[in-house]
Amino acid sequence: MEAFKLVNFQHEHNTNMPIVRSIEGSECEAVCRSLFRNWHVNTLEEFFKKEEQEFVLLDDINAEDDDLDWNKVFNRIGIPVPNEVFVNFERFNSIDVFLFNDFCKYFGDIWYPAADDIEVFDASFNWIVSVKHYGAVHYAKIEKVKK
């Protein structure tokens, strides 16, 4: 996350942004490899192409809405609410991990409209929710085949 967001958060809330941990460097590369393996892509370009072509748009959801309820969004798309979420800003150079409740509570401090495209996922790598800089919310899930 950019430093100015941390400063803005500190000024507004008089506390530090509740990031569980930030993932960078080799750990970030390992997360990226696991994510790509699950999604059957080899490069960032392939990942973003898949996101553009295959993710489902939630056409009545806009991340800019003040009453956005992430619990309802996850329930609607059939994703169990996780304890933690990974938030990617930009090109998987760094990933911040938040408790889901903190992500919901401080979403307006995490995602900046007109500036940020983010991907949200958890350690299972079985789903991704994408929030575009203009507020559109897309998602994809890997459906497990039951035998």
Side-chain angles (χ1 to χ4, degrees), residues 15-140:
T15 188
N16 292 329
M17 176 76 78
I19 298 171
V20 173
R21 67 185 183 284
S22 293
I23 300 172
E24 296 178 342
S26 61
E27 186 182 4
C28 195
E29 290 170 12
V31 167
C32 215
R33 278 193 306 274
S34 296
L35 183 72
F36 287 6
R37 185 172 38 255
N38 266 28
W39 289 88
H40 306 290
V41 296
N42 296 307
T43 65
L44 277 172
E45 291 72 24
E46 287 178 19
F47 174 81
F48 289 121
K49 183 176 181 180
K50 181 179 277 253
E51 182 177 331
E52 183 179 308
Q53 294 176 347
E54 298 179 21
F55 282 32
V56 177
L57 171 66
L58 295 169
D59 53 6
D60 59 338
I61 304 285
N62 190 299
E64 294 185 77
D65 291 345
D66 290 335
D67 62 348
L68 177 66
D69 183 334
W70 282 108
N71 283 288
K72 289 181 181 176
V73 172
F74 274 56
N75 185 53
R76 176 174 158 197
I77 60 182
I79 297 172
V81 171
N83 182 49
E84 293 182 338
V85 290
F86 293 62
V87 180
N88 167 58
F89 299 89
E90 207 176 321
R91 299 183 57 82
F92 292 93
N93 295 323
S94 69
I95 297 168
D96 290 323
V97 182
F98 293 88
L99 294 175
F100 183 77
N101 290 339
D102 288 337
F103 171 78
C104 296
K105 182 175 181 179
Y106 299 115
F107 180 72
D109 297 295
I110 296 168
W111 175 79
Y112 280 34
D116 290 329
D117 291 327
I118 64 172
E119 286 76 33
V120 180
F121 53 96
D122 74 354
S124 74
F125 306 114
N126 289 331
W127 57 267
I128 301 172
V129 174
S130 171
V131 182
K132 300 298 182 189
H133 62 275
Y134 48 90
V137 178
H138 298 78
Y139 77 95

